[in-house]
């Protein structure tokens, strides 16, 4: 199975990124039947990050973070989106056949307009660049969080339209979303997202994680009162780090009552610090070897380009776009 996913370097990764996507990257890479491609979507990040040093730094940090969290360059092709220019060529072939209505329905653009904010054409056409990212590698499975499902549907629609117009060219991908981590809540209970300022970062030091955990919003019911764990975002966050048994124990404590949320927050912070400790250590080693990381990205880009070139050529021939013999 060909697996592909991308992640924006628009800041440091948070728990939503990890449980919603990165953890599945690692699991899928472990299956020798899978061929996996993971990339850092710096062209997408350009729609929000408008500072050169920052974008470069975030991109390198994203690579280091992914490697520290377990992406294995011997098993996964890891690269930076802009190192594969074929994707931008494919982007145009797809854009040329994309109905406006399809993009007008996309959430990121719609939300921005609803807030009365000006939107750039980049944000509007963003889902088609993502479609190009996916189709360029004949990807079949795309591990993502729930918020990206709509973009995978758009990818399928556009690919199907292209195939209909020009003959079978693209593989239709499907999203791989884990129900229990589809929408990781932030400290305020909404979806964890940089744009809501409610994130806890994977590589925050334990003291910062603890501080953020203590700020998780909870209701003000008294200690003695029994509480329902279902739908409680503190319980949901704890569950991400807990074994099934620990999860059940906490659920029973909730139902019994007689505890304070602060205890659960402290336990969560402790679990999170332990959970990410090995990755934090690996990250330190990798951060000291930026040349090695850049080499991994260069090797990944070379492999990715070979595949993307093949698919782009197929699409160009199908659409009748002239290509001089190379
Ligand atoms: P991005 O960078 O916003 O997010 C990266 C991944 O993290 C997931 N995620 C979450 N999952 C669960 N709960 C949350 N609170 C949460 N927050 C983020 C996202 O669903 C995503 O899987 N457009 C994409 C990047 C992209 C891409 C692609 C993805 C570009 N090209 C091709 C797949 C295939 C994005 O902005 O993800």
């Amino acid at each position: 199975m060909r697996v592909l996913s991308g992640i924006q370097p628009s800041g440091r990764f948070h728990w939503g990124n990890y449980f919603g996507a990165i953890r599945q990257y690692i699991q899928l890479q472990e299956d020798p039947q899978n061929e996996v491609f993971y990339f850092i979507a710096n062209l997408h990040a350009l729609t929000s990050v408008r500072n050169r040093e920052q974008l470069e730094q975030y991109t390198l940090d994203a690579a280091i973070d992914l490697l520290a969290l377990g992406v294995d360059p011997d098993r996964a092709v890891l690269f930076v989106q802009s190192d594969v220019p074929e994707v931008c060529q494919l982007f145009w072939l797809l854009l040329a056949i994309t109905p406006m209505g399809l993009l007008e329905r996309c959430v990121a653009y719609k939300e921005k307009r609803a807030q009365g904010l000006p939107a750039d054409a980049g944000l509007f056409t963003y889902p088609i660049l993502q479609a190009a990212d996916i189709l360029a590698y004949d990807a079949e499975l795309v591990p993502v969080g729930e918020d990206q499902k709509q973009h995978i549907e758009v990818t399928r629609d556009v690919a199907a339209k292209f195939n209909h117009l020009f003959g079978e060219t693209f593989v239709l991908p499907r999203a791989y979303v884990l129900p229990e981590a589809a929408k990781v809540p932030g400290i305020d209970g909404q979806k964890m997202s940089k744009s809501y300022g409610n994130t806890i970062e994977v590589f925050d030091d334990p003291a910062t994680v603890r501080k953020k955990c203590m700020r998780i919003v909870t209701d003000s019911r008294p200690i003695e009162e029994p509480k329902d764990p279902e739908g409680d975002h503190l319980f949901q966050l704890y569950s991400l780090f807990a074994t099934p048994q620990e999860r059940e124990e906490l659920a029973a404590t909730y139902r019994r009552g007689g505890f304070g949320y602060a205890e659960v927050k402290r336990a969560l912070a402790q679990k999170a610090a332990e959970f990410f400790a090995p990755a934090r250590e690996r990250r330190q080693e990798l951060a000291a070897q930026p040349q090695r990381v850049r080499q991994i990205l260069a090797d990944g880009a070379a492999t990715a380009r070979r595949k993307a070139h093949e698919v782009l050529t197929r699409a160009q021939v199908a659409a009748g776009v002239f290509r001089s013999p190379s």
Side-chain angles (χ1 to χ4, degrees):
M1 178 98 64
R2 169 107 13 92
V3 176
L4 169 132
S5 200
I7 191 159
Q8 288 195 62
S10 47
R12 299 303 296 279
F13 297 147
H14 54 68
W15 290 1
N17 297 133
Y18 179 75
F19 289 103
I22 300 169
R23 194 173 51 167
Q24 283 67 264
Y25 298 177
I26 317 297
Q27 280 165 356
L28 289 163
Q29 116 192 324
E30 303 306 320
D31 183 343
Q33 304 279 331
N34 290 339
E35 227 184 312
V36 305
F37 288 70
Y38 300 131
F39 68 92
I40 298 154
N42 60 340
L43 296 176
H44 278 108
L46 206 50
T47 61
S48 61
V49 184
R50 302 282 168 74
N51 173 302
R52 172 162 52 109
E53 281 86 22
Q54 208 171 40
L55 187 55
E56 280 181 7
Q57 188 59 50
Y58 284 164
T59 304
L60 185 65
D61 278 339
I64 296 172
D65 289 354
L66 288 172
L67 292 165
L69 289 167
V71 170
D72 175 358
D74 289 333
R75 280 181 280 187
V77 181
L78 179 66
F79 60 101
V80 177
Q81 185 182 32
S82 59
D83 279 342
V84 186
E86 286 78 3
V87 164
C88 290
Q89 289 173 272
L90 192 56
F91 172 52
W92 179 256
L93 295 187
L94 299 173
L95 205 52
I97 62 151
T98 302
M100 289 290 285
L102 189 63
L103 295 180
E104 276 159 357
R105 284 195 291 278
C106 285
V107 170
Y109 172 74
K110 245 175 41 184
E111 274 179 2
K112 204 144 197 184
R113 292 308 301 243
Q115 292 164 7
L117 296 169
D120 297 316
L123 186 71
F124 183 63
T125 55
Y126 180 116
I128 302 302
L129 181 59
Q130 183 160 350
D133 285 327
I134 298 170
L135 300 174
Y137 306 97
D138 287 334
E140 297 164 272
L141 200 67
V142 187
V144 284
E146 192 172 80
D147 58 350
Q148 295 299 315
K149 262 166 112 174
Q150 187 186 38
H151 292 157
I152 315 300
E153 283 308 311
V154 168
T155 303
R156 290 175 65 89
D157 287 352
V158 173
K161 182 164 182 197
F162 193 100
N163 287 353
H164 178 72
L165 288 169
F166 302 120
E168 278 311 304
T169 306
F170 295 122
V171 173
L172 264 52
R174 64 193 163 86
Y176 176 72
V177 181
L178 272 199
E180 64 272 25
K183 193 172 164 188
V184 174
I187 60 174
D188 59 356
Q190 296 188 78
K191 185 190 88 166
M192 188 178 284
S193 166
K194 276 163 222 138
S195 39
Y196 300 150
N198 63 359
T199 57
I200 305 179
E201 272 63 37
V202 168
F203 289 104
D204 274 343
D205 62 83
T208 308
V209 169
R210 195 180 154 106
K211 234 187 279 163
K212 290 185 183 171
C213 284
M214 297 317 285
R215 284 186 14 231
I216 293 174
V217 177
T218 46
D219 59 42
S220 50
R221 272 180 296 176
I223 283 183
E224 356 13 285
E225 201 174 299
K227 302 167 184 78
D228 183 6
E230 297 310 322
D232 178 275
H233 59 272
L234 176 58
F235 179 76
Q236 214 178 322
L237 287 170
Y238 180 87
S239 301
L240 293 170
F241 294 97
T243 62
Q245 195 195 340
E246 289 166 335
R247 185 177 187 277
E248 276 321 301
E249 279 166 14
L250 185 64
T253 308
Y254 262 69
R255 291 193 192 99
R256 239 189 347 262
F259 76 99
Y261 286 120
E263 281 172 57
V264 184
K265 293 177 184 177
R266 273 193 290 274
L268 168 64
Q270 174 73 26
K271 282 220 151 302
E274 284 165 16
F275 187 88
F276 289 122
R280 263 202 311 278
E281 226 169 89
R282 278 198 298 273
R283 189 180 200 289
Q284 271 193 339
E285 287 164 25
L286 286 156
Q289 310 169 61
Q291 272 320 104
R292 182 175 151 218
V293 176
R294 287 183 204 282
Q295 189 57 51
I296 290 170
L297 294 174
D299 293 346
T303 308
R305 277 197 82 170
R306 274 195 297 279
K307 181 65 199 166
H309 181 77
E310 178 198 316
V311 177
L312 175 65
T313 302
R314 197 196 301 150
Q316 286 173 322
V317 169
V321 175
F322 183 75
R323 303 183 65 247
S324 304
S326 53

